[in-house]
């Protein structure tokens, strides 16, 4: 492992808060991202649609602010390549997710507040910068 990766993992998991508290923080970020995405674009766009894109962008932005760019990128990679929901996921969906995670990390570096993250995420989606491949109810792919 390189120093940057070690430092990111240390920041994610090695803080004085401990694994349980860090896990709760990640869960809070997931909950915030999902809620805001569905409130903005609707439940019908939750898989491969605009809500899906927004959820990835917001979560990655929040993770970047909490754990650095490398920490957020590490979490994204683990989610897309190791988590149960990622097995047998079509390449086009994985590309959508990783593209939107990268946009989220960039937003996380720039935004000064959660409201600014939400606004910038919506702008990325509405402008066509974010990747959206459609609205399906298929998946997850275990």
């Amino acid at each position: 492992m390189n120093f940057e990766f070690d430092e990111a993992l240390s920041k994610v998991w090695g803080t004085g808060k401990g694994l349980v508290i860090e896990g709760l923080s990640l869960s809070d970020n997931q909950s915030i991202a999902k809620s805001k995405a569905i409130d903005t674009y609707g439940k019908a766009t939750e898989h491969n649609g605009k809500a899906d894109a927004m959820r990835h962008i917001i979560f990655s932005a929040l993770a970047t602010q909490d754990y650095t760019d490398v920490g957020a990128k590490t979490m994204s990679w683990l989610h897309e390549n190791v988590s149960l929901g990622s097995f047998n996921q079509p390449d086009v969906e994985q590309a959508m997710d990783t593209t939107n995670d990268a946009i989220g990390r960039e937003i996380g570096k720039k935004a000064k507040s959660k409201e600014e993250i939400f606004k910038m995420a919506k702008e990325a989606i509405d402008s066509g910068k974010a990747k959206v491949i459609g609205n399906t109810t298929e998946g997850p792919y275990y």
Side-chain angles (χ1 to χ4, degrees):
M1 286 195 227
N2 65 41
F3 174 75
E4 189 177 23
F5 184 75
D6 289 345
E7 184 179 1
L9 286 178
S10 174
K11 188 161 177 119
V12 172
W13 302 115
T15 67
K17 296 177 186 176
L19 288 174
V20 173
I21 300 301
E22 289 300 331
L24 292 174
S25 176
L26 292 176
S27 179
D28 287 347
N29 286 346
Q30 289 171 333
S31 178
I32 290 166
K34 183 176 182 176
S35 174
K36 186 64 176 178
I38 291 172
D39 287 350
T40 303
Y41 291 109
K43 191 153 181 68
T45 68
E46 192 175 14
H47 186 77
N48 294 336
K50 290 182 177 184
D52 190 350
M54 185 175 223
R55 179 175 49 82
H56 277 269
I57 292 169
I58 291 172
F59 178 80
S60 290
L62 293 171
T64 297
Q65 291 186 344
D66 288 346
Y67 306 108
T68 77
D69 180 57
V70 175
K73 190 172 187 176
T74 301
M75 285 184 265
S76 172
W77 185 89
L78 289 169
H79 176 73
E80 295 303 327
N81 293 285
V82 179
S83 74
L84 288 177
S86 66
F87 293 116
N88 299 318
Q89 182 183 37
D91 290 344
V92 67
E93 290 185 20
Q94 189 172 41
M96 176 184 158
D97 295 346
T98 56
T99 297
N100 293 327
D101 289 339
I103 292 168
R105 290 191 304 274
E106 290 303 311
I107 288 172
K109 290 185 227 174
K110 296 175 189 172
K112 304 294 184 221
S113 68
K114 283 186 179 134
E115 290 305 318
E116 194 171 357
I117 288 172
F118 302 154
K119 180 181 177 213
M120 293 170 80
K122 187 171 184 334
E123 287 171 358
I125 294 163
D126 292 346
S127 71
K129 179 180 178 184
K131 188 169 181 77
V132 177
I133 58 175
N135 300 321
T136 68
T137 56
E138 296 175 18
Y141 304 95
Y142 297 106

